[in-house]
Structure formats: C-alpha cells, structure tokens
Amino acid sequence: MLRFLPSALIVWAALGCGWMPALHAAAPFTAEDLLRVQRLSDPQVSPDGRYVVFSVRQIETEANKSRTALWLLDLQAPQSNPKCLTPGDATDSNGRWAPDSRTLYFLSTRSGSSQVWHLAIATGDAVQVTRLPLDVSTLKVAPTGDRLLVSLDVFPECRDLDCTAKRLAQAARSPSAPRVYDRLFIRHWDTWDDGSQSHLFSLALSADGSVAGAPVDLTRGLDADVPSKPRGGDEEFNFSPDGTRVAFTARIKGKDEAWSTNFDVYETDADGSSEPRNLTAGNPAWDTEPAYSRDGRWLAWKSMDRPQNEADRFHLVLADRKRGARTVLAGDWDHSISAFMFSSDSRSIYATADHLGQHPLWRIALSSGKQTIIQPEGQVTDLSVVAHTSKKRLAALDAPVDLYRVSAKSGHTERLTHFNAELLGTAPPSRFEQFSFPGWHGEKVSGYVVQPFDFDPRRKYPIAFIVHGGPQMSYANGWSYRWNPQVYASWGYAVVLIDFHGSTGYGQAFTDSITGDWGGKPLDDLRLGLAAAIARYPWLDGDRACAIGASYGGYMMNWIEGNWPDRFRCIVNYAGVFDVRGMYYDTDEMWLDEFEQGGPQFANPTSYEKHNPILHVTKWRTPMLVGHGLPDFNVPYSQGVSTFTALQRLSIESRLVIFPNEGHFILAPQDSLAWHREVHAWLDKWLQPAGAH
C-alpha cells in the first residue's frame, strides 16, 4: 500500500539549542530541506528506566558546519517536550549514564578540545572531568561508576600522552615533511596514515567523579586500532556488569591488514593488570562488538565465517563465562545481525537485521534461538533496552529518524519524539510503494517506487533510476542523508530503486550471488526491474530515464554505458570504478576485491577482466555527469578522471565535478548542495522539455 506521512503531528521546539529549520510555505522536500533535518542518534536509557538521553545534530549550511547537542526525555512524562541539556556552540555528544541515573558523562569540545564532562540532569551544571593533552574520541562508563573507558589516538612508541601531543604539534609545523611507509595501509578511506593508533584507556574515578590517577592503556602492545578505523565506535568495547573486565574488538595490523578482515575479540582486566587475551584466535574471519549479559553469565559477539568477505552473514556467538562453553545462537537463521543488545533479564537478545526491504527489530531467545519480529516495518537503527521495553531510532523512506518506545512482549509502539514535524509539515515527503518482479532466472526481486512531488496519476513522469552501492546493501525502507529519493521526487522525478541480486535482507545466498558476477545478475535484475516498474505504474515515462549510482552503483553506471548503452538519456556517476584491474592496485581495502574476484589480480586476472567496464568503452554513447572526491582512497579519484577522459575522447557530452575535500562520501553541507545542484541540472537538461524549468 502507498504510505502517507501522518497529517496530525505534534510540533516540538528546539529554541536555544542550535539552528532551527526556517519556516516556509508548503513546498516539495528539497536538498536544502535535507540539510535542515535534525538528525537524532545514540539513544541511551538511564539504568532506572526513567530517562533517555540522545544526540541531535543540526547543520548550519552557510557556515558549512554542524553541531551536536544532548537532549533528555523523561519517559514517565513522554508527552512533555524533550529538554536540551547542552545548549551553546560546542559539540556535545556520546552521553553515557552513571549508575545513579541522575548524572551523565559526555564528550564536549567546550574547553577547546574533545574531553569528558559530567553534569547533573537536575541542574544542568557541567563539570570537566578530563584534561588530557589529546582529544577523546569515544567514551563508556563502568556499570559500577568507578571507571571510564576512553579512546585516544596515540603514537604507540610513545611512553606517555605528552609525547604524542608534542609529535602532533611538530608534524603540524612541518606539513610538507615526507612520509615513509614499510607496509599497508598507507592511507584509509580519506586519511593518510600518520603512524598513530586508536588505543583504549582506562580511567579510575574518585567518589566525586573526578579522575584518580593516570590513564592506563589497555591495548598497548597489540599493534591495533581500538576502536577500529575509520568508523568504529564504542559498540566495539564494553565493561562486564561488575566493572572488572573489558571486552573489545581489535585487528592486528601486520603486513596483511589491507587484505584481511580478521578482527578478533579480546578480554582484559579493566584496571590493566592483565594482558589482553584473544578469545577468537581460531576464527580467521570477522569477530566484533562484544557485549555482556546483564547477569554477567554470557559474553556475546557478532561473527563471520569466511575471511575477506565483508558481507558474510554476521551471526551471534554466545560464550558461557562460567562453564567456558560456546554456542552459535540461531545458527540456521538466514539473517545478518546489525546491532544487538541483551534483554534486562538476560534471557533474550534484541537485534536488528535487514529483512525483505525493511530493517526491523527482532527478539531472539537464548534458550531456543527462536526469532520473533517485534517491529516489522521501517528502519530501526539504534536501540536501548530496559525492563520489557526498548527505545529505538526508527526511520522510513518518507520519514527521518525519531525515537520510539516498543513493548518487547506485545510489540506495541509509541512514538516519543517529533523533531522534524514542522519541517515535514511544510515540505511533506512523497509517497512510496514496494513491489516485486521475476528477476534473474525468474527469482523474486524487490524494489521501491517513489512518487514525484505534487503527483497526478494522469501525467507521465521522468525516471530517476538510482542504483545502490555496497554492492552488498539494500535500498530498504529507510532514510538517507545523502542519496535521498525524496530530493529527486521534489524535482518532479519518479524514483525507481531495485534490490538486485547481491542485496542484503533476502538470505545469504541472494547476497553471495553477486560475488564474481558484478556485471551479470545485477544488470539483469536492473533491466527487468525497470521494465516491471514501467509496466506496473503507467505514470512512469520509460522514454525519459536517467541512471544514477555511487561507489558500486557508480561501477554499474560505467557498466551500463557499455552493456545497456541505449536505455537511458543520461547517467550520473559518483565515485565509480572504471578499471577493475587498476582498482585492485589503487584501493585501500583490498579484501573486497580479493574476495569478490577470487583472489589477487595477479593470481586470477581473468576474473578481473570478466566484468571490467574499461573493456567496453567503444560502445559508450550516453551523456554522463561524473563526480569524485580527491581524498577518496576507497575508490581513488583517478577512476573518475579516467571515466571522464574516456567520455571526452569519445566526444560524448560529459561533465566532471571534483571535490577537493571530500572522500568516498560527500559530507560537507555546501558540497552536498553543490552536488545536488549539479545532478538536478543534469537531469533537467536531458529529461525535461526545453523551457520546462
């Protein structure tokens, strides 16, 4: 069924705590509106279950920056407005509760660097806890309240934090000094390796909440980043319930880091009195995100079986801390775990996992492994569990994230916040519908269609055909802050999204089917999916369509140029692979290519040539907009430049947009707007009648 945004919404004010969206008359949801959306994250329920603290990020486009503040909601009176705990200009995030449920620790830049602070929620008075010479990146509070875990970037050869601070200051004074490397990684995603590592430190606290003694490096000597770079957070380390032990994720660097996914789970004493012990040394694949049960009996973590495969199924391993036995929980469940958390009674685990175009919430019984879906629709991104309810972030294709409370027993869901109600009331998102069709070899494939703004079923609308990246991910029923279909709908385009073979949420075999076949089954599904959508929705104008993709989606744009060259009037390609062979030697994370292509390029060259866009350039003819970021080390910018060079040499109308400060993702607000404007103009140029805009 087509879904509508609720017409009656409660409006919340955020006065005095950041930038509020500007009011305007009813209008389509634009790229500018996308940046106005207040972005909720990281809900944390207090130990007594009364409060939930969460982060809200707001963007100031003109200043090309954002700010994050902490907000508080009293769950005994959820109808009251959420309260901003940290007004001001500093960035405040990572709120973590003390055991008393009345004191909050958090990270703040208000002192000029990122340090730990705490405040009493009754008064809002904040006190600085740490005054370290380095920025604190992540934070966790012991359940006993007597210790903190923080992560800091340090030079492992330094004996103290001051040594690292001095070396960083010296490097800042000599930005042109050469860098010398003896092993990979030399750079990762968007950052050159400067020799520093993220280490996990333990800080003892005195009775008044101040730091007692020097930080203790729990990961010294491991030659690893804890948490992992570039996107690891505090989900990768946890205290035991009694506060005496710490479990964390680490991947030993070594010479094979660039082509290895061998992350392991370690455990050590919280005070640093013991050496870390590798709990998963027998598994050469990915083990991560260890978490203790509330009663202390279990330690669970996510685990994969196949080395180098970043899209293998994440299942849960349960270790009995008393008996030492290990079991795989719900081993035959054909879903890949995303986030998980133990229930308050330690009898179940709550988890999120892709499922048929949704990202719902599940309960898994520890005794039997039985899985029960609790929240079937939408995109559950974060969760926090207390008693028999959970607090979660929930989004959909037509709604950004808000906080909800769901009963684990009945599944009853209560919406707790309406942060963007005013914005969405004046710029309502467009409706969408999920559909399915017989794809490659007649197998069922799913997709979504999003209506254009101000939809009239009597009209014909041009198509923005957006292909997801990954390649192992899903265009599920969720909200995106980058490639958001609602923006394209606001321009008057119907949007078609296909979860082709290789997408997640349809079983591991479906996900695995893309391996070694990047240009095969997925292209068949895209062809059949577009045709099925046009046949199903008569208001889609199949003669006016533009294909759009980034990362693997960008690879597919280059593949479509040579293997489906007459279907689209235009193509938009951001960070796309042009030469699979050259990509292997240019990329940072080599494990993806080695797994997907069956080994290194020099060992299996035929596989790298099988679906290589560079071999089909002579058939290119479709106008293409090409975008790339200079510090993109995952798909290096040379791939985009090569794409543009080929188009120009073939005299195909094309345009290149290079972002000097963007990596694989366009993150800066002004760059995001600039890219949206380029894409909008490109689509209009090829799909709209002259003078239509």
Side-chain angles (χ1 to χ4, degrees):
M1 296 292 293
L2 290 171
R3 300 183 61 231
F4 293 83
L5 192 75
S7 57
L9 295 174
I10 301 174
V11 179
W12 300 107
L15 301 177
C17 198
W19 307 288
M20 284 297 296
L23 300 180
H24 51 79
F29 186 88
T30 65
E32 290 78 8
D33 291 323
L34 184 62
L35 293 177
R36 293 186 182 104
V37 168
Q38 299 178 79
R39 308 180 183 192
L40 280 66
S41 65
D42 196 22
Q44 300 287 326
V45 178
S46 59
D48 65 0
R50 173 161 181 185
Y51 299 101
V52 58
V53 67
F54 53 96
S55 298
V56 178
R57 180 180 173 221
Q58 294 178 285
I59 289 174
E60 189 180 61
T61 304
E62 291 184 3
N64 206 30
K65 66 179 183 180
S66 65
R67 180 180 113 69
T68 302
L70 293 176
W71 287 70
L72 182 76
L73 182 63
D74 187 342
L75 295 173
Q76 290 185 1
Q79 70 279 1
S80 63
N81 285 9
K83 172 186 177 182
C84 181
L85 285 177
T86 59
D89 295 328
T91 289
D92 302 303
S93 63
N94 212 151
R96 296 295 180 266
W97 291 100
D100 65 5
S101 296
R102 298 299 181 267
T103 306
L104 192 72
Y105 289 85
F106 63 101
L107 297 181
S108 178
T109 61
R110 61 186 67 190
S111 67
S113 65
S114 178
Q115 298 294 322
V116 180
W117 292 64
H118 71 69
L119 62 78
I121 61 171
T123 64
D125 296 332
V127 177
Q128 188 169 350
V129 176
T130 63
R131 288 175 170 81
L132 302 174
L134 304 173
D135 283 337
V136 180
S137 300
T138 55
L139 161 71
K140 214 146 218 177
V141 183
T144 48
D146 59 350
R147 192 171 295 276
L148 302 178
L149 290 177
V150 298
S151 61
L152 309 169
D153 280 0
V154 299
F155 292 107
E157 61 272 21
C158 280
R159 297 181 62 86
D160 55 41
L161 300 184
D162 287 334
C163 168
T164 291
K166 291 176 182 177
R167 285 188 55 179
L168 290 173
Q170 182 180 0
R173 292 192 297 267
S174 305
S176 61
R179 294 172 179 163
V180 180
Y181 300 96
D182 296 308
R183 67 186 186 189
L184 298 173
F185 292 116
I186 62 173
R187 74 238 198 284
H188 199 185
W189 278 89
D190 60 359
T191 305
W192 285 92
D193 187 357
D194 64 357
S196 67
Q197 294 178 0
S198 177
H199 280 203
L200 190 62
F201 288 82
S202 176
L203 300 176
L205 297 177
S206 59
D208 62 358
S210 61
V211 174
V216 178
D217 189 345
L218 300 183
T219 54
R220 176 178 290 277
L222 279 185
D223 193 18
D225 288 308
V226 182
S228 61
K229 294 181 179 180
R231 294 185 297 276
D234 73 341
E235 74 281 353
E236 292 188 356
F237 58 88
N238 268 301
F239 279 105
S240 61
D242 62 5
T244 63
R245 303 285 285 171
V246 171
F248 61 87
T249 303
R251 175 179 57 180
I252 303 303
K253 289 181 175 291
K255 65 180 182 179
D256 64 348
E257 184 183 17
W259 56 90
S260 169
T261 58
N262 187 16
F263 289 79
D264 283 305
V265 172
Y266 290 76
E267 191 177 33
T268 190
D269 287 318
D271 61 3
S273 60
S274 66
E275 294 294 321
R277 182 169 67 96
N278 189 343
L279 303 182
T280 59
N283 182 21
W286 208 321
D287 298 286
T288 189
E289 298 182 24
Y292 295 91
S293 61
R294 307 293 180 91
D295 62 5
R297 177 181 176 183
W298 304 102
L299 177 63
W301 61 83
K302 291 163 47 176
S303 182
M304 291 183 177
D305 292 328
R306 291 177 289 176
Q308 293 190 303
N309 184 4
E310 68 177 23
D312 196 15
R313 183 177 70 95
F314 262 132
H315 56 273
L316 287 175
V317 174
L318 278 178
D320 190 323
R321 299 180 69 215
K322 292 182 178 179
R323 301 178 181 177
R326 296 184 184 182
T327 58
V328 174
L329 181 64
D332 59 351
W333 190 41
D334 199 10
H335 289 69
S336 187
I337 300 291
S338 180
F340 78 95
M341 182 173 289
F342 278 95
S343 64
S344 57
D345 61 9
S346 300
R347 295 180 179 178
S348 304
I349 279 179
Y350 298 102
T352 61
D354 284 344
H355 178 65
L356 305 179
Q358 313 287 337
H359 193 74
L361 177 65
W362 305 77
R363 181 178 63 247
I364 308 173
L366 266 61
S367 59
S368 64
K370 179 183 178 181
Q371 317 94 41
T372 303
I373 194 166
I374 298 174
Q375 171 67 40
E377 292 187 348
Q379 178 189 34
V380 179
T381 54
D382 289 337
L383 66 153
S384 186
V385 177
V386 61
H388 293 292
T389 64
S390 67
K391 311 302 179 291
K392 62 187 180 182
R393 290 195 303 152
L394 180 64
L397 274 167
D398 61 356
V401 168
D402 261 304
L403 291 180
Y404 292 75
R405 173 163 51 191
V406 59
S407 168
K409 291 184 176 181
S410 67
H412 173 72
T413 298
E414 175 190 5
R415 186 171 181 171
L416 298 175
T417 63
H418 300 74
F419 262 82
N420 294 290
E422 190 169 10
L423 172 63
L424 298 179
T426 55
S430 297
R431 301 187 298 174
F432 67 91
E433 182 175 86
Q434 188 177 27
F435 71 101
S436 61
F437 59 93
W440 174 82
H441 277 202
E443 295 181 4
K444 182 179 179 180
V445 176
S446 297
Y448 284 96
V449 168
V450 182
Q451 290 181 351
F453 174 74
D454 203 18
F455 174 71
D456 182 346
R458 297 167 297 181
R459 292 181 54 193
K460 287 273 193 177
Y461 293 92
I463 300 169
F465 187 62
I466 306 179
V467 179
H468 72 64
Q472 293 94 345
M473 61 168 287
S474 169
Y475 251 131
N477 180 17
W479 187 263
S480 171
Y481 292 105
R482 293 194 302 270
W483 300 87
N484 194 304
Q486 295 293 340
V487 173
Y488 294 82
S490 78
W491 298 337
Y493 293 95
V495 182
V496 178
L497 315 164
I498 303 297
D499 267 350
F500 48 80
H501 276 77
S503 301
T504 55
Y506 305 91
Q508 192 61 39
F510 191 90
T511 300
D512 290 343
S513 66
I514 196 174
T515 299
D517 196 30
W518 277 25
K521 292 184 283 292
L523 182 62
D524 287 348
D525 288 344
L526 293 173
R527 284 171 165 158
L528 293 166
L530 181 58
I534 292 170
R536 183 183 181 100
Y537 304 99
W539 39 270
L540 293 176
D541 188 346
D543 293 330
R544 291 187 294 155
C546 187
I548 303 164
S551 193
Y552 170 83
Y555 158 88
M556 182 53 70
M557 297 303 100
N558 286 333
W559 188 245
I560 283 172
E561 270 280 21
N563 293 274
W564 199 11
D566 297 315
R567 181 61 189 87
F568 299 99
R569 291 195 184 183
C570 65
I571 291 175
V572 176
N573 175 351
Y574 186 83
V577 177
F578 172 74
D579 179 9
V580 177
R581 174 184 51 205
M583 169 72 176
Y584 172 77
Y585 294 100
D586 283 346
T587 189
D588 51 358
E589 296 179 346
M590 301 173 72
W591 62 74
L592 173 65
D593 286 338
E594 291 200 8
F595 185 86
E596 292 296 303
Q597 307 301 340
Q601 188 277 333
F602 53 79
N604 195 16
T606 302
S607 177
Y608 285 78
E609 299 304 298
K610 181 181 178 183
H611 295 119
N612 195 348
I614 198 174
L615 301 180
H616 300 269
V617 169
T618 57
K619 295 178 284 185
W620 285 21
R621 59 179 62 96
T622 307
M624 185 187 294
L625 171 66
V626 181
H628 226 110
L630 284 183
D632 182 353
F633 304 141
N634 194 252
V635 179
Y637 80 91
S638 57
Q639 295 282 321
V641 171
S642 296
T643 299
F644 181 67
T645 300
L647 291 160
Q648 289 284 300
R649 189 63 183 86
L650 290 164
S651 299
I652 298 172
E653 189 155 357
S654 48
R655 185 174 176 88
L656 175 66
V657 182
I658 291 289
F659 293 97
N661 299 311
E662 299 289 357
H664 200 58
F665 308 122
I666 303 175
L667 300 178
Q670 291 181 9
D671 287 345
S672 176
L673 282 182
W675 177 244
H676 277 100
R677 289 169 185 144
E678 290 284 351
V679 174
H680 190 183
W682 193 252
L683 267 63
D684 282 358
K685 177 177 181 178
W686 299 103
L687 301 185
Q688 298 289 4
H693 287 266

